[in-house]
């Protein structure tokens, strides 16, 4: 479905080689292809433009014009820049608390509940932790049931309080329960709405203030493309979150949202979701994502 960018760049620069020296104009032509690839991958237009301007400066500075294999050098430069833009090193989760409290935020349907389960399972197996899941969606009884099903599947206890309509009280009670029962990680799943609204923002801000989590994660559906950026900005303005979880990367999106979000909120993407099953979780690797985005 997608054309291969490396091939395109090589082709563009190859033709030029026939004419002797590669010029600044040719580099600009090549960067147009890069920009097109980024836009195809759903990267925000302004960000794609800024990115190609940066690459252009570096390309001219790094003697791409006189290199023996300018096409390859250009591709490497683009990939390295994209990787750096998305975060460089792999970022972990802060587990220094006792218990460590992780607050999940995001819109309804973004994959919060699913990811809460995946993370609990991941921490349990990979890091030998004893997590507790806390159900704080007081609006949808089905959401509590969903978390209970997830907990059952992965063998992780779920704390819920169905009669209670105060998510702050439930999260505090959940943390107290964790302390009393030897859970060293508490994952708090919160309610989301279909779009950003004041009530939801106030609610999550209140929970955040009351429990002061070690880690606040923002979950976003990679398929939502450019909308993901606005949502990320709205949540970050309120929560100053620690990291992003990009879900549904098993879909046919190239994942340009990863670049756009990182550029706008400057927070690391920590994990990705790659399916509905509980083991479909992966640490975010910027270099792999750069490959995917460029095709
Ligand atoms: P929440 O409303 O934010 O808690 O979202 P859910 O966890 O209920 O997820 C919404 C839907 O997306 C469910 O049908 C999930 O199975 C699905 N889902 C969540 N994460 C992924 C993912 O990484 N890949 C795919 N394909 N589906 C996902």
């Amino acid at each position: 479905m997608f054309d291969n960018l490396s091939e395109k760049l090589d082709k563009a620069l190859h033709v030029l080689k026939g004419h002797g020296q590669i010029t600044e104009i040719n580099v600009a032509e090549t960067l147009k292809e890069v920009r097109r690839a980024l836009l195809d991958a759903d990267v925000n237009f302004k960000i794609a433009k800024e990115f190609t301007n940066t690459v252009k400066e570096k390309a001219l500075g790094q003697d791409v014009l006189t290199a023996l294999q300018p096409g390859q050098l250009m591709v490497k430069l683009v990939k390295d820049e994209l990787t750096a833009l998305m975060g460089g090193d792999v970022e972990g989760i802060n587990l220094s608390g006792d218990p460590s409290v992780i607050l999940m935020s995001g819109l309804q349907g973004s994959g919060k509940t699913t990811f809460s389960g995946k993370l609990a399972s991941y921490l349990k197996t990979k890091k030998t932790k004893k997590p507790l899941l806390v159900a704080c969606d007081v609006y949808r009884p089905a959401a509590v049931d969903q978390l209970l099903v997830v907990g059952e599947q992965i063998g992780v206890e779920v704390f819920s309080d169905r009669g209670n309509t105060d998510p702050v009280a439930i999260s505090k009670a959940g943390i107290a329960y964790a302390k009393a029962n030897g859970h060293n990680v508490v994952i708090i799943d919160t309610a989301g709405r279909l779009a950003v609204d004041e009530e939801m923002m106030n609610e999550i801000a209140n929970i955040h203030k009351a429990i002061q989590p070690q880690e606040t994660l923002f979950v976003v559906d990679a398929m939502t493309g450019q909308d993901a950026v606005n949502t990320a900005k709205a949540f970050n303005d309120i929560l100053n979150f620690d990291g992003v979880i990009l879900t549904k990367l098993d879909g046919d999106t190239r994942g340009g949202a990863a670049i756009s979000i990182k550029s706008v909120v400057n927070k690391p993407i920590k994990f990705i979701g790659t399916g509905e099953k509980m083991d479909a979780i992966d640490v975010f690797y910027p270099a792999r994502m750069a490959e995917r985005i460029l095709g």
Side-chain angles (χ1 to χ4, degrees), residues 120-268:
S121 177
Y122 174 90
L123 293 175
K124 190 179 146 199
T125 38
K126 291 254 161 58
K127 311 242 178 212
T128 59
K129 294 282 179 189
K130 190 183 173 200
L132 175 73
L133 287 161
V134 177
C136 271
D137 189 338
V138 295
Y139 308 101
R140 295 186 312 132
V144 178
D145 294 334
Q146 189 188 345
L147 197 63
L148 287 167
V149 170
V150 161
E152 178 91 10
Q153 259 177 38
I154 57 174
V156 168
E157 196 175 348
V158 176
F159 179 90
S160 63
D161 183 0
R162 277 185 199 274
N164 199 333
T165 54
D166 177 3
V168 171
I170 302 172
S171 40
K172 279 185 172 170
I175 295 167
Y177 180 89
K179 278 186 187 156
N181 292 277
H183 293 274
N184 49 14
V185 180
V186 184
I187 299 173
I188 300 189
D189 185 22
T190 60
R193 296 213 170 73
L194 293 175
V196 171
D197 71 40
E198 209 181 315
E199 209 184 328
M200 169 175 67
M201 286 306 183
N202 285 339
E203 179 179 305
I204 190 93
N206 286 338
I207 300 175
H208 186 256
K209 205 168 140 203
I211 62 173
Q212 311 234 327
Q214 269 71 42
E215 185 85 22
T216 302
L217 297 174
F218 167 69
V219 182
V220 63
D221 178 344
M223 306 283 284
T224 55
Q226 308 221 16
D227 280 346
V229 182
N230 301 330
T231 316
K233 189 168 180 323
F235 274 88
N236 194 49
D237 286 349
I238 296 282
L239 297 174
N240 189 19
F241 55 67
D242 301 295
V244 178
I245 310 299
L246 206 54
T247 63
K248 309 192 192 181
L249 275 170
D250 49 315
D252 65 0
T253 174
R254 266 195 170 171
I259 304 174
S260 307
I261 292 175
K262 182 75 192 345
S263 307
V264 171
V265 298
N266 197 25
K267 293 291 167 64

Side-chain angles (χ1 to χ4, degrees), residues 105-116 118 137 140 143 146 150 189-193 219 221 246-251 272-277 280-281:
S105 68
L107 294 182
Q108 187 179 315
S110 59
K112 281 184 305 302
T113 304
T114 308
F115 188 78
S116 298
K118 288 177 182 177
D137 189 338
R140 295 186 312 132
Q146 189 188 345
V150 161
D189 185 22
T190 60
R193 296 213 170 73
V219 182
D221 178 344
L246 206 54
T247 63
K248 309 192 192 181
L249 275 170
D250 49 315
I272 59 171
T274 54
E276 296 190 75
K277 296 218 174 91
I281 170 175

